Amino acid sequence: MRPLTIISILPDLLNTNGDAANARVLAQRARWSGQEANVVEVRTRADLPADVDSVVIGSGSDSQLVAARDVLLTMAEDLRAWTTAGVPILAVGTGWELLSWGIELSGGVVVEGLGLVAGRAVPRESRAIDDLVVTSKYGRLVGFENHARDYVGAEGSPLGRVVAGTGNGHGTEGVVMGDVIATHLHGPVLARNPGLADHLLRAAFARHAVEYTPGAPTRPVDELARAARNQVAVRLSLAI
């Protein structure tokens, strides 16, 4: 198997909460499993490598929404092709919103999205800034949310159910469409929730007919992540 190629799209514009680091988490866990892996930072379509095994899109500020969207538009056909080919994609915060039908801002302004993910982002009365805990088929997911919009139109395919926090705004969190996972969870989410990282890596490896097995070096790291999640659970009076 050739080295795994993980691309981080617009790591300068879409890294407000350190979400671009999710690409490094995937690459390191792949290396710990014995597989070579590289992270390629993509700032323009010309930076795209010939082969892509996983995609990470982080979150940015509202002042950069149009600039980020315009660059993503140049890659729309590539993104669509990856979703069809089963390339796992993680999109966080505004990076997720830009893949949606669109983003409604206060004052009636709408930023059109790429239309690759069902649903749209709509303004909420107050900003959601808190710990976010979600039950999912990947286990309990814990992170920090910081967003001014709810998400509607994709209630049938959430990442999970909200136990604490706001999430999409109606009891669910995130969206899953095929191998695309979208979430409000920051942290970065894959560092705090290695089970989700391993799910993405299994999908990336499976495209090469190779089974992914976490390497021994992940064990102490995963234990630290578990302890961090448990600290949040205890603070929120949740069972651990």
Side-chain angles (χ1 to χ4, degrees):
M1 179 175 168
R2 60 167 174 74
L4 208 66
T5 300
I6 300 157
I7 67 170
S8 175
I9 296 182
L10 302 182
D12 305 313
L13 290 178
L14 299 177
N15 192 29
T16 299
N17 297 283
D19 303 304
N22 285 309
R24 297 199 298 274
V25 173
L26 289 174
Q28 187 59 63
R29 293 184 75 83
R31 295 181 193 118
W32 283 337
S33 77
Q35 171 61 43
E36 291 184 61
N38 300 312
V39 174
V40 176
E41 295 186 344
V42 173
R43 294 174 175 84
T44 70
R45 188 175 185 278
D47 296 330
L48 289 177
D51 298 301
V52 173
D53 297 299
S54 187
V55 179
V56 169
I57 308 173
S59 187
S61 66
D62 280 4
S63 63
Q64 300 292 340
L65 278 177
V66 173
R69 189 276 314 276
D70 288 349
V71 178
L72 288 173
L73 275 174
T74 68
M75 308 177 198
E77 291 307 313
D78 303 284
L79 285 159
R80 187 171 287 106
W82 295 329
T83 61
T84 302
V87 174
I89 298 174
L90 174 69
V92 181
T94 57
W96 158 26
E97 293 177 343
L98 288 169
L99 298 184
S100 77
W101 299 334
I103 304 168
E104 297 178 17
L105 304 177
S106 58
V109 176
V110 176
V111 177
E112 295 294 333
L114 273 65
L116 299 177
V117 177
R120 66 186 187 280
V122 298
R124 51 181 292 109
E125 290 185 2
S126 60
R127 191 172 191 89
I129 307 176
D130 207 344
D131 292 306
L132 178 59
V133 181
V134 179
T135 58
S136 80
K137 69 178 184 179
Y138 314 107
R140 174 185 280 174
L141 305 177
V142 176
F144 186 77
E145 61 181 339
N146 179 8
H147 55 99
R149 289 175 289 273
D150 289 336
Y151 197 86
V152 298
E155 288 79 5
S157 53
L159 173 60
R161 305 291 303 183
V162 173
V163 176
T166 301
N168 295 349
H170 38 72
T172 64
E173 160 54 17
V175 175
V176 177
M177 296 188 67
D179 291 293
V180 179
I181 292 179
T183 183
H184 292 106
L185 287 161
H186 303 292
V189 60
L190 298 186
R192 299 185 74 174
N193 302 279
L196 184 58
D198 287 345
H199 167 76
L200 293 168
L201 285 172
R202 288 188 189 95
F205 277 53
R207 298 183 64 249
H208 298 275
V210 175
E211 182 178 356
Y212 167 76
T213 302
T218 65
R219 293 169 189 160
V221 174
D222 292 357
E223 180 57 28
L224 286 173
R226 187 189 67 82
R229 295 195 304 276
N230 285 347
Q231 283 185 336
V232 173
V234 169
R235 186 167 67 248
L236 297 174
S237 300
L238 301 174
I240 61 173

